[in-house]
Amino acid sequence: MLRLGVMVSGGGTNLQAIIDSIESGYLVNCSIVTVVSSRKDAYALVRAEKHGIPSVCIRRKDYDTLEEYDEALVSHLKKYKVDLVVMAGFLSIVGERFINEFPSRIINIHPSLIPSFCGKGYYGIIPHKAALEYGVKVTGATVHFVTLEADSGPIILQKAVYVKEDDTPETLQKRVMEEAEWKILPEAIKLFSQGRLAVEGRKVRILKEESDIC
Ligand code: GRF
């Protein structure tokens, strides 16, 4: 059983996509053992409760230093014996202590085609505003392994979404979520659970179906 720890800060629609993927049988041998929110008011916590998933709020402002915050997060995830950490809209910064605790075992969903519209300050609706302001014809979402530098770890999956002439940041965000995020995040978890993600330097090679792996 792959034990998932999902980290959230907002609406939790990506958390819901993972929950739905487990309940539908798309994800097998996976279980969300804990949801960690950086905010008390995150609707993601309501979603977790509705599905009987243990959740906790661990806020950065309750800790004097990043190291202490990291330690609080790490000890919680280790208590639940988490195998894969899934950042699903988690907005607090984590540090070296956290990253090094889970080498190649932290993934993140980002609402753009990295390396476009990513890095410090690009979160929530902002990548979509930037995409529209730039005039790109295609945007999308990326799932990547998390490293110390924001949004720059080895890319696992990406999915493109065409920009429409009459898109607003809000309509674009909704379509990127529906057509890309909610699909590639569960798919990346599935590939990880099958042992099919081979990190090779800054690239990720997706190994063939398990049956083909000699
Ligand atoms: C999503 O757009 C995700 O790409 C980004 O943060 C947002 C989280 O949304 N990292 P939700 O909380 O999953 O609805």
Side-chain angles (χ1 to χ4, degrees):
M1 181 67 75
L2 185 72
R3 299 171 65 88
L4 305 175
V6 183
M7 304 185 70
V8 298
S9 296
T13 64
N14 279 283
L15 166 66
Q16 190 65 53
I18 301 168
I19 291 169
D20 294 346
S21 297
I22 291 172
E23 293 185 354
S24 70
Y26 171 75
L27 285 177
V28 294
N29 296 325
C30 293
S31 172
I32 304 173
V33 295
T34 184
V35 169
V36 179
S37 177
S38 66
R39 295 170 54 114
K40 282 201 171 112
D41 62 352
Y43 188 72
L45 291 171
V46 174
R47 295 180 192 271
E49 189 180 357
K50 279 183 179 174
H51 290 269
I53 300 169
S55 62
V56 66
C57 178
I58 303 179
R59 301 182 306 179
R60 172 68 182 85
K61 66 182 176 182
D62 293 336
Y63 297 87
D64 293 335
T65 67
L66 177 59
E67 291 69 25
E68 288 170 1
Y69 187 54
D70 274 358
E71 194 52 47
L73 293 171
V74 166
S75 63
H76 175 81
L77 293 169
K78 286 177 76 171
K79 186 171 79 176
Y80 279 81
K81 298 183 176 55
V82 166
D83 301 308
L84 177 64
V85 180
V86 182
M87 299 274 192
F90 190 72
L91 292 178
S92 288
I93 301 294
V94 292
E96 209 160 340
R97 169 80 181 87
F98 185 95
I99 302 286
N100 292 341
E101 187 65 37
F102 303 97
S104 295
R105 293 195 293 131
I106 311 169
I107 64 173
N108 180 55
I109 176 80
H110 181 76
S112 77
L113 294 177
I114 290 176
S116 298
F117 313 119
C118 66
K120 191 168 170 53
Y122 283 99
Y123 59 87
I125 198 85
I126 295 167
H128 304 295
K129 279 184 178 167
L132 292 173
E133 280 161 16
Y134 195 99
V136 296
K137 301 302 181 184
V138 176
T139 186
T142 302
V143 181
H144 62 93
F145 281 110
V146 173
T147 55
L148 259 183
E149 198 183 334
D151 301 332
S152 63
I155 291 173
I156 299 168
L157 291 173
Q158 294 187 299
K159 187 164 174 50
V161 174
Y162 277 93
V163 178
K164 294 180 178 176
E165 288 300 320
D166 59 351
D167 261 328
T168 64
E170 291 72 19
T171 60
L172 183 55
Q173 178 180 47
K174 185 170 182 292
R175 200 161 65 256
V176 168
M177 283 179 155
E178 289 169 347
E179 296 182 9
E181 297 182 33
W182 301 345
K183 296 186 186 308
I184 62 174
L185 186 55
E187 185 182 353
I189 294 168
K190 188 178 185 76
L191 290 168
F192 186 96
S193 72
Q194 294 171 335
R196 292 177 55 201
L197 297 177
V199 180
E200 296 167 352
R202 73 138 300 114
K203 293 183 182 176
V204 176
R205 187 157 59 90
I206 296 176
L207 304 177
K208 289 184 181 175
E209 286 294 334
E210 289 164 294
S211 55
D212 298 346
I213 297 174
C214 52

